[in-house]
Amino acid sequence: MQFRDLKKQYEVLKPQMDAAIARVLATAQYIHGPQVEELEARLAAYVGRKHCISCGDGTSALQLSLMAWGIGPGDAVFVPDFTFFSTGEVASAIGATPVFYDVLPDTFNADARSLEQAILAVQREGKLRPAAVAAVDLFGLSADYDAILAVAEKYGLPVLEDAAQGFGGVYHGRRCCSFGNTSITSFYPSKPVGCYGDGGAVFTDDDDQAALLRSLSVHGKGSFKYDNVRIGMNSRLDSIQAAVLLVKMDAFEASELRDVNTVAGWYNEALSDLPLDLPVVPEGCLSSWAQYTVKLPEGRDRNTLQAAMKELGIPTMVFYPKPMHVQKAFGPESTVIPCPETEKLCERVLSLPLHPYMEREQVEAVAAALRRCL
Ligand SMILES: *Cc1c(COP(=O)(O)O)cnc(C)c1O
């Protein structure tokens, strides 16, 4: 069994996909081909944002977003403790300091109360200037933006939505990538919508920010390519990836987002009698199921369980085994408050195989294996 069956997806999409890639090859417009602009317009319309700036990957999308706000040394960027490394890495990469706050135990997403405690702690210490808030739509589920935006507004901080895993998710009638001042996503192959390599995008409604992001992503260009008015980076989505993503978007909108929710529903039923905490999708939310993540009983040896599952042919993954605040790459100034919920989650989470082309029998097989191994 595949954890996320990208081969199967390609088999299904092969005719359209091969034709789309062949069109790029025939024109030899590998960079800035017409597919890039078409994709940007399509993505912006889909998530409900005015601007989409495509770029090389989700990590540079995050970094470009912080750069466009002029964030740098002395600035604190508040980051959930339970996320992929990138969300904090980009703050450090531009000389700022990520400051970690805790998440909620049921949704795995940003805890607005912990965020406020972290902001207050940074203010009290007086060494860093609170500069921005990052929130993550983990595993396909949007964070609680009503609560997060209220805290951010109270302290006058811009919000960066890291929807690398959240693309396609819905929160109170709005799609992920539409929350906060700037949002980003990733098209890494295994994300809800993935390309055949690396890719990413930044979204904003602000015209000036959009222009600045565009400049920063092309070596800080000014009025033309060889006029450079600021230090930027080289981060672009190539035409082949854009062509791939246009085909993927067709499938995502036509069936994949629906099907992945069907698979999650099968899991919820098949696992209901096991001693596991199943994923929670709050009222008014739709997940795009980047991961289906359960919590094992407290104290249960996860390594042994994973090995036993592997013996039965079932791949499982742990996202994430370590809280951000214990990562050696970050200094002690990144930890101003405790994050006990993240610490507990890192011990207990287990992600199961899930993708839109999964069949009910496969879900039953995972459940049967789990039942045996537990
Ligand atoms: C994957 C991911 C990223 C980084 O995206 P890349 O395209 O791999 O650079 C950032 N944040 C989160 C939460 C992610 O899951």
Side-chain angles (χ1 to χ4, degrees), residues 45 47 53 65 68 80 106 122 124 131 138 142 155 159 161 175 182 187 226 241 274 280 307 315-316 322 328 338 348:
V47 304
I53 298 94
S65 304
D106 54 349
V122 166
R124 257 194 322 274
L138 205 69
S142 75
Y155 296 93
V159 172
E161 177 191 11
R175 289 206 169 107
T182 306
F187 303 117
Y226 300 109
Q241 300 308 339
L274 295 183
V280 171
T316 58
K322 264 174 121 172
K328 191 178 158 205
R348 292 181 59 199

Side-chain angles (χ1 to χ4, degrees), residues 54-303:
S54 62
C55 62
D57 51 72
T59 305
S60 8
L62 287 167
Q63 184 168 329
L64 286 165
S65 304
L66 295 183
M67 287 168 81
W69 288 338
I71 285 177
D75 288 340
V77 178
F78 298 92
V79 173
D81 200 31
F82 192 57
T83 180
F84 179 63
F85 187 63
S86 285
T87 326
E89 178 184 29
V90 293
S92 300
I94 57 170
T97 304
V99 170
F100 301 113
Y101 65 96
D102 212 356
V103 299
L104 299 164
D106 54 349
T107 61
F108 312 122
N109 277 330
D111 178 351
R113 277 189 305 182
S114 179
L115 167 63
E116 182 159 23
Q117 283 165 13
I119 296 170
L120 291 171
V122 166
Q123 283 184 339
R124 257 194 322 274
E125 282 184 9
K127 289 187 209 133
L128 297 169
R129 180 185 76 95
V133 172
V136 179
D137 304 329
L138 205 69
F139 303 151
L141 180 70
S142 75
D144 182 1
Y145 286 102
D146 287 344
I148 294 157
L149 292 172
V151 173
E153 201 169 305
K154 183 169 167 189
Y155 296 93
L157 302 174
V159 172
L160 171 57
E161 177 191 11
D162 179 348
Q165 302 180 16
F167 191 87
V170 178
Y171 174 82
H172 299 181
R174 278 170 60 184
R175 289 206 169 107
C176 289
C177 292
S178 71
F179 300 101
N181 306 69
T182 306
S183 309
I184 72 96
T185 196
S186 161
F187 303 117
Y188 183 81
S190 61
K191 307 277 170 161
V193 174
C195 56
Y196 290 165
D198 277 309
V202 188
F203 299 90
T204 178
D205 294 326
D206 184 311
D207 297 345
D208 295 336
Q209 278 285 303
L212 189 50
L213 285 159
R214 188 74 70 184
S215 163
L216 286 166
S217 71
V218 188
H219 308 287
K221 74 166 179 176
S223 56
F224 67 103
K225 193 174 171 187
Y226 300 109
D227 174 35
N228 305 93
V229 297
R230 56 180 67 84
I231 297 301
M233 55 203 278
N234 173 29
S235 181
R236 53 195 170 209
L237 187 77
D238 61 68
S239 312
I240 288 182
Q241 300 308 339
V244 166
L245 286 166
L246 284 165
V247 175
K248 293 272 196 127
M249 277 300 289
D250 287 341
F252 190 71
E253 291 192 72
S255 59
E256 287 185 353
L257 181 57
R258 179 197 67 213
D259 291 348
V260 88
N261 273 280
T262 304
V263 174
W266 291 336
Y267 264 126
N268 289 342
E269 275 178 48
L271 303 176
S272 60
D273 62 325
L274 295 183
L276 298 169
D277 290 332
L278 302 185
V280 171
V281 178
E283 192 74 35
C285 294
L286 177 81
S287 178
S288 59
W289 297 105
Q291 303 297 337
Y292 185 93
T293 303
V294 301
K295 283 188 276 175
L296 300 178
E298 239 162 294
R300 169 81 221 195
D301 182 350
R302 188 172 52 193
N303 288 337

